Amino acid sequence: MSENAPADGDALTVRRAEPADAPRLRELNEVTLRQVDAYAEEAVEEGMDEDLEDVEANYVDVGGDFLVAEIDGEGRSDDAPGIVGMGALEPIGDSTFQADAIVRPEDEPAGEITRMRVDPAYQRRGIATRLVERLEERARELGYGTLVLDTTARQTGAQRLYEGFGYEHEDTVQWREYEVLLYRKVLAHGDAPAE
């Protein structure tokens, strides 16, 4: 199996999320965060995930994007999820979470990568790598000079992924019961993950 292929005989497509994807986005968000014991049920009940109901308005229309990784191929059974990964890009502003705290004045315009999730059954197959590559490409197209993001201390795989792309751990903050690591990267044309 190659680094970027989800499974033998399957094709991976990265595309913009559509309104009909909302139920799967919520499901994928919950499944992946529960896997690493980082699902903040109380925050979700308070409306934290409402942005997933309308990604067009909450991400695309404000100068960002929301992408999904979808599998279509011979190896996919009818009951397997088509969408196996997701990731978003949003401009730094009122709706950003924690990472905006490390944006410097010289970083503007800056964006945040958020909502990075890969179905546990499809992890370690290059799907997150493809999503980050495409999100960084979109960030450059949209004119962002710097990207920030956050992940919990419990998500060691995510930390390795981001550090492999050159994101630098700048700060650690506490949010509810979670230790949240904040990362920053100044974009340059032709950036690629470290080998």
Side-chain angles (χ1 to χ4, degrees):
M1 182 184 324
S2 76
E3 170 75 12
N4 289 324
D8 293 333
D10 290 340
L12 181 71
T13 302
V14 176
R15 63 168 175 83
R16 178 173 285 159
E18 300 170 354
D21 298 332
R24 176 61 181 151
L25 300 181
R26 287 185 80 114
E27 175 187 39
L28 183 60
N29 185 62
E30 181 174 348
V31 166
T32 57
L33 291 177
R34 284 192 188 280
Q35 176 203 23
V36 292
D37 195 28
Y39 187 70
E41 197 145 357
E42 185 177 304
V44 172
E45 290 170 4
E46 295 169 0
M48 183 175 182
D49 289 351
E50 289 178 2
D51 60 306
L52 297 174
E53 294 302 320
D54 189 354
V55 297
E56 185 85 19
N58 292 305
Y59 294 93
V60 179
D61 291 350
V62 298
D65 212 338
F66 199 107
L67 305 177
V68 296
E70 188 170 42
I71 288 183
D72 183 31
E74 300 168 15
R76 184 173 162 240
S77 64
D78 288 338
D79 62 342
I83 295 174
V84 296
M86 66 184 197
L89 173 67
E90 64 182 330
I92 295 300
D94 294 338
S95 66
T96 52
F97 185 54
Q98 298 281 342
D100 61 337
I102 60 171
V103 174
R104 302 170 188 158
E106 65 270 18
D107 290 340
E108 298 294 341
E112 179 178 17
I113 289 182
T114 186
R115 297 294 188 184
M116 279 293 301
R117 312 283 188 261
V118 175
D119 188 305
Y122 292 87
Q123 291 176 358
R124 303 198 50 82
R125 300 182 188 194
I127 295 169
T129 297
R130 293 269 303 274
L131 284 165
V132 172
E133 287 170 347
R134 185 64 185 119
L135 287 167
E136 286 190 352
E137 182 180 314
R138 285 294 294 138
R140 285 184 201 88
E141 291 168 359
L142 293 167
Y144 294 117
T146 301
L147 289 177
V148 294
L149 56 86
D150 63 69
T151 191
T152 69
R154 300 171 184 180
Q155 294 170 279
T156 57
Q159 293 166 43
R160 284 190 305 273
L161 172 74
Y162 301 138
E163 290 166 4
F165 270 93
Y167 288 83
E168 295 183 11
H169 177 220
E170 298 248 333
D171 199 2
T172 301
V173 298
Q174 193 70 29
W175 179 75
R176 298 183 185 250
E177 70 267 28
Y178 304 101
E179 186 177 8
V180 179
L181 286 68
L182 308 180
Y183 286 85
R184 178 179 169 275
K185 177 181 180 178
V186 176
L187 293 178
H189 293 289
D191 284 338
E195 295 293 322

